[in-house]
């Protein structure tokens, strides 16, 4: 439409020029004001309009070129994995702490088992010692007991039973005073809490990894790339077609200005 209008204007100016040539002093010889108004339109309206449409086309091409180059995210893009790397580092650090607390808990159980075994051994020894000795064996008078035999025998039995009682008393005290296991519940709770914390970190890591594997695949990247390429090429073709019109319009405007300049002068 613009080209058609410009052609009409050019045709009108040529007719005016022909008429002036045929009748230099006739009606309409003073065309300068009219010609100046046409120059104003070509300079401030038509050229501006052509350049505006050309710039809009170029802006659209530039935007599509940017999308064509960066609008599709390749699954190997390093910046995609910033969060994944952070989640992984947190998870690894947590599991290391968990392993340390598990080792401390296992050590506590082993130490508790040793303490319990020692106490059981001491108390079993005391229980065995509590059995009264066989009098037929213990209470026999030793051969060659000095006179008075009964008195010395009784003194010997007294000393023997005092020794037995002292030994039994010591064993009882060892059983009663044996170290009691203080329990590993605190370490068990610490380990269990850390295990739950690490499981949560692992869940976050796996969710991030699964999201990346689902959303950023080679097939999706390829589809996006081809779609952008097709859109870009279509716009390039349209721009080339439009370029022909822009150039034709621009040449027409320049021709009109040239004719007006010649007509005026």
């Amino acid at each position: 439409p613009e080209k058609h209008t410009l052609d009409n204007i050019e045709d009108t100016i040529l007719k005016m020029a022909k008429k002036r040539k045929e009748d230099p002093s006739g009606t309409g010889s003073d065309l300068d004001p009219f010609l100046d108004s046409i120059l104003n339109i070509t300079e401030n309206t038509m050229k501006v309009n052509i350049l505006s449409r050309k710039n809009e086309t170029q802006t659209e091409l530039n935007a599509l070129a940017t999308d064509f180059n960066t609008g599709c995210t390749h699954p190997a893009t390093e910046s995609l994995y910033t969060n994944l790397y952070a989640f992984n580092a947190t998870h690894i650090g947590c599991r290391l702490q968990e392993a340390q607390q598990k080792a401390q808990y296992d050590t506590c159980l082993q130490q508790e088992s040793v303490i319990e075994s020692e106490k059981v051994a001491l108390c079993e020894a005391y229980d065995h010692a509590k059995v009264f000795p066989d009098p037929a064996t213990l209470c026999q008078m030793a051969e060659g007991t000095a006179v008075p035999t009964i008195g010395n025998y009784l003194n010997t039995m007294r000393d023997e039973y005092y020794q037995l009682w002292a030994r039994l008393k010591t064993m009882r005290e060892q059983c009663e005073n044996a170290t009691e296991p203080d329990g590993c519940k605190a370490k068990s709770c610490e380990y269990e809490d850390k295990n739950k914390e690490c499981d949560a970190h692992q869940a976050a890591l796996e969710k991030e990894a699964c999201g990346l594997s689902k959303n950023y695949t080679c097939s999706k990247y390829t589809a996006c790339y081809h779609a952008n390429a097709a859109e870009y090429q279509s716009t390039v073709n349209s721009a080339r077609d439009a370029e022909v019109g822009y150039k034709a319009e621009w040449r027409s405007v320049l021709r009109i200005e040239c004719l007006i300049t010649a007509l005026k002068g």
Side-chain angles (χ1 to χ4, degrees):
E2 291 82 0
K3 181 65 169 58
H4 180 70
T5 301
L6 291 170
D7 288 343
N8 288 337
I9 293 174
E10 182 180 340
D11 185 60
T12 299
I13 292 173
L14 287 173
K15 288 179 180 179
M16 292 170 64
K18 182 179 180 181
K19 186 174 181 181
R20 172 176 284 190
K21 182 177 180 181
E22 293 173 350
D23 185 11
S25 60
T27 303
S29 59
D30 187 13
L31 298 174
D32 286 355
F34 174 68
L35 295 175
D36 287 341
S37 67
I38 294 178
L39 281 176
N40 182 63
I41 292 173
T42 58
E43 186 67 30
N44 298 314
T45 301
M46 291 182 175
K47 283 184 175 180
V48 170
N49 179 270
I50 295 169
L51 289 175
S52 175
R53 286 181 284 127
K54 174 258 183 186
N55 289 337
E56 287 177 1
T57 300
Q58 187 62 54
T59 299
E60 183 179 4
L61 278 174
N62 292 341
L64 286 173
T66 300
D67 287 342
F68 179 63
N69 292 319
T70 62
C72 301
T73 304
H74 194 278
T77 303
E78 189 68 20
S79 60
L80 286 176
Y81 301 95
T82 301
N83 288 338
L84 183 66
Y85 293 153
F87 287 145
N88 187 52
T90 301
H91 176 246
I92 291 175
C94 186
R95 290 300 185 192
L96 289 174
Q97 294 176 357
E98 178 191 12
Q100 292 174 352
Q101 293 185 354
K102 180 64 165 61
Q104 292 173 359
Y105 174 54
D106 290 341
T107 300
C108 179
L109 290 177
Q110 292 171 359
Q111 293 173 345
E112 188 174 70
S113 177
V114 171
I115 292 172
E116 181 65 27
S117 297
E118 290 175 351
K119 179 176 176 61
V120 169
L122 290 172
C123 292
E124 285 181 349
Y126 170 62
D127 289 338
H128 292 150
K130 285 193 300 183
V131 177
F132 195 83
D134 184 5
T137 302
L138 181 65
C139 297
Q140 288 184 356
M141 183 182 294
E143 189 175 334
T145 300
V147 177
T149 54
I150 295 299
N152 287 323
Y153 166 74
L154 292 176
N155 287 335
T156 300
M157 288 297 99
R158 179 196 61 194
D159 294 341
E160 191 77 28
Y161 276 96
Y162 273 152
Q163 291 176 4
L164 288 173
W165 174 80
R167 178 169 172 269
L168 185 62
K169 180 174 178 292
T170 299
M171 296 178 72
R172 183 187 67 187
E173 291 173 350
Q174 288 177 338
C175 174
E176 292 175 348
N177 298 328
T179 302
E180 290 283 353
D182 60 0
C184 299
K185 290 184 178 180
K187 294 190 180 299
S188 174
C189 289
E190 291 174 359
Y191 165 67
E192 292 296 336
D193 289 344
K194 181 60 66 174
N195 177 259
K196 291 178 182 178
E197 178 188 344
C198 294
D199 286 347
H201 289 312
Q202 181 174 341
L205 171 64
E206 291 174 349
K207 181 179 179 181
E208 181 72 12
C210 288
L212 290 172
S213 65
K214 290 179 181 178
N215 296 323
Y216 299 98
T217 63
C218 290
S219 59
K220 287 186 177 182
Y221 172 78
T222 301
C224 175
Y225 179 87
H226 287 313
N228 285 354
E231 183 178 5
Y232 177 74
Q233 190 58 52
S234 175
T235 304
V236 167
N237 294 338
S238 298
R240 285 173 177 168
D241 293 339
E243 181 184 11
V244 175
Y246 297 155
K247 287 182 177 180
E249 291 176 33
W250 192 260
R251 282 194 297 268
S252 294
V253 169
L254 294 180
R255 181 175 173 78
I256 289 171
E257 290 178 342
C258 180
L259 290 172
I260 289 175
T261 300
L263 188 59
K264 288 181 67 176

